[in-house]
Amino acid sequence: MSGSGSSGTQNSAAQNNSSLAGGRSYLAIPGPSVVPDAVLNAMHRASPNIYAGALIDMTDTLIPDLKRVARTKAHVAIYIANGHGAWEAAFANTLAPGDRVLALATGRFGHGWAEMAHNMGAEVQMLDFGRTSPIDPSRVEEALRADKDHNIKAVLATHVDTSTSALSDMAAIRAAIDAAGHPALLMADCIASLACDRFEMDAWGVDVVVTGSQKGLMMPPGLGFVFFNDKAAEVRRKLDRVSPYWDWTLRAQPDQFYQYFFGTAPTHHLYGLRAALDMIHDEGIEAVWARHDRLARAIWAACEVWAEGGALRINMSDPSHRSRAVTALSLPAPGASELRAWLEQNAGITLGVGLGMAEPDDPAWHGFFRIGHMGHVNAQMVLGVLGSIEAGMAALDIPRGQGAIGAAAQVIAKG
Ligand SMILES: *Cc1c(COP(=O)(O)O)cnc(C)c1O
């Protein structure tokens, strides 16, 4: 978005005394997500001692609680990085130049991870499932059966592609790999999905999981996480060379505190993460998933009613293929961009832009938007977003089915 666009927002709000955008703003995009006050308050402190004492003891407590979120007994390495850093960390520990990967794309993020593998010297075999379908495990099995010499070292799967909101069945992908009798690692991008959509690393047979702090974990961006099992650790041990910063070995089993982070610890982020993990485990991970499910179904219920008007479309038509963290939508261009601008100027809500659906300089780009509903989200926030979208569609005369908010309220009320 251009700088002039945002200053225009301020001007029109100042000139137009009827703007209702004052008060607390709400960033309803698929990351960064809303940071709870408990997390912000935990971070608001003087710099702690990094040599001894409370910070060191507290950091040790993060490790088992992170593993409980990913449902694993395996290992975890923490990086001072965003999601792209976690992506790179996973490859740095598993791929040698020239190794082949099978990349499964269901949107922009699947392609992005594959491009990173290519740029790190891997040979990428791409299976592209388009922008409106999940990964088809039977095509994965077929591709692996065709790889008789087992040249493919890793299968890359995005659990939830944030651009399309496609949710893929990771257990079924594991079953496909096993059915083909193939030894490749299964590597999952759970940056958007962790602590939103059900995910079970060990039960589903995922070898490597990458995620970040700023989505379901309700933190500011800045921490990347790579979970890896013993099979993946063995792959790492056989590599000739791993760049020292990204090497997960000591990070996952440090002898000294600084080795967790290969340098200065992300002090305040660690306190924030402690508070976020407390919130997740106090609620219970099953309850966290159930809350995301119910809130997502309320959003879909409203969107399905609006769609009856013929303008709005839910990108993923089959509910069983939809993420509970983000919903990708379209409105004929420039309707989506106009709706986003209306909500920002008049309701204090920022919705996500469309990603990977059209190029930013293509007029079609203004026909896509996304609602983020990951992490620290409750019923009043979802109903507020939906009611504001209803108001925005009314203001912009966008054709829509009637009764959307009532349909969402019914899901909130009855489940
Ligand atoms: C957000 C996201 C990323 C990228 O994370 P950054 O922190 O922006 O680097 C990668 N994959 C998925 C699925 C995401 O949702």
Side-chain angles (χ1 to χ4, degrees):
M1 301 301 291
S2 70
S4 62
S6 61
S7 66
T9 300
Q10 283 170 11
N11 287 343
S12 68
Q15 283 158 16
N16 177 4
N17 291 328
S18 69
S19 171
L20 304 176
R24 182 168 247 194
S25 62
Y26 179 11
L27 186 70
I29 73 173
S33 62
V34 173
V35 181
D37 288 342
V39 172
L40 293 171
N41 291 340
M43 297 177 78
H44 191 109
R45 64 176 66 221
S47 287
N49 181 353
I50 61 164
Y51 306 125
L55 175 72
I56 282 102
D57 298 338
M58 185 277 285
T59 301
D60 290 335
T61 71
L62 298 172
I63 304 304
D65 289 344
L66 279 167
K67 292 180 188 177
R68 282 166 70 202
V69 177
R71 305 279 262 206
T72 184
K73 294 196 164 23
H75 317 282
V76 62
I78 311 177
Y79 298 87
I80 299 179
N82 59 16
H84 282 69
W87 270 356
E88 181 157 343
F91 291 152
N93 286 279
T94 52
L95 300 179
D99 278 354
R100 188 185 300 178
V101 298
L102 180 66
L104 314 174
T106 55
R108 187 57 221 134
F109 288 94
H111 286 284
W113 203 17
E115 283 156 18
M116 180 173 272
H118 169 80
N119 290 336
M120 290 175 75
E123 190 190 316
V124 175
Q125 181 177 336
M126 170 64 72
L127 282 182
D128 188 349
F129 298 92
R131 295 173 184 153
T132 53
S133 305
I135 294 165
D136 175 355
S138 70
R139 285 183 58 199
V140 178
E141 183 179 337
E142 196 184 318
L144 292 175
R145 280 188 192 281
D147 180 38
K148 298 212 170 6
D149 298 335
H150 294 168
N151 288 320
I152 294 169
K153 299 299 177 213
V155 176
L156 314 181
T158 313
H159 185 214
V160 163
D161 198 301
T162 323
S163 63
T164 56
S165 54
L167 169 75
S168 289
D169 184 342
M170 303 306 299
I173 297 167
R174 162 50 66 195
I177 296 172
D178 291 348
H182 201 291
L185 293 174
L186 174 55
M187 303 187 25
D189 175 348
C190 294
I191 297 173
S193 59
L194 201 78
C196 303
D197 280 286
R198 173 178 291 275
F199 179 78
E200 312 256 6
M201 177 174 171
D202 290 355
W204 295 354
V206 181
D207 300 305
V208 177
V209 171
V210 299
T211 196
S213 55
Q214 78 276 25
K215 300 194 183 180
L217 293 179
M218 310 182 289
M219 286 273 299
L223 295 181
F225 306 92
V226 179
F227 298 86
F228 58 98
N229 64 14
D230 288 338
K231 182 178 172 188
E234 191 52 34
V235 171
R236 153 68 192 93
R237 268 192 288 279
K238 289 189 176 141
L239 291 180
D240 290 337
R241 195 204 309 244
V242 174
S243 66
Y245 187 79
W246 297 115
D247 194 347
W248 63 30
T249 313
L250 277 179
R251 287 176 183 266
Q253 268 163 335
D255 297 322
Q256 297 183 47
F257 180 66
Y258 84 92
Q259 292 171 331
Y260 266 124
F261 307 101
F262 203 64
T264 308
T267 47
H268 293 70
H269 271 64
L270 296 176
Y271 280 104
L273 181 62
R274 182 63 268 163
L277 290 170
D278 285 343
M279 288 178 70
I280 289 170
H281 293 309
D282 285 350
E283 185 176 356
I285 190 71
E286 292 278 355
V288 169
W289 291 332
R291 172 168 51 83
H292 280 83
D293 178 62
R294 182 107 157 240
L295 295 175
R297 285 188 290 105
I299 290 168
W300 304 338
C303 291
E304 276 155 14
V305 173
W306 285 325
E308 290 165 10
L312 184 112
R313 204 176 52 78
I314 305 178
N315 187 57
M316 298 301 297
S317 54
D318 182 340
S320 69
H321 300 155
R322 289 180 193 154
S323 157
R324 281 92 167 174
V326 53
T327 298
L329 299 155
S330 62
L331 266 178
S337 290
E338 288 176 356
L339 183 69
R340 288 187 63 255
W342 191 94
L343 260 80
E344 194 152 72
Q345 288 167 19
N346 297 281
I349 292 173
T350 303
L351 298 176
V353 297
L355 203 63
M357 300 299 201
E359 294 302 317
D361 56 0
D362 179 346
W365 193 83
H366 297 285
F368 300 95
F369 71 109
R370 293 174 298 160
I371 305 172
H373 36 99
M374 47 178 53
H376 191 53
V377 182
N378 65 17
Q380 51 104 342
M381 294 160 84
V382 161
L383 289 171
V385 166
L386 296 174
S388 300
I389 291 175
E390 174 80 41
M393 295 210 282
L396 297 168
D397 283 327
I398 295 171
R400 64 203 179 281
Q402 296 299 312
I405 306 306
Q410 194 67 19
V411 176
I412 299 293
K414 300 278 168 62

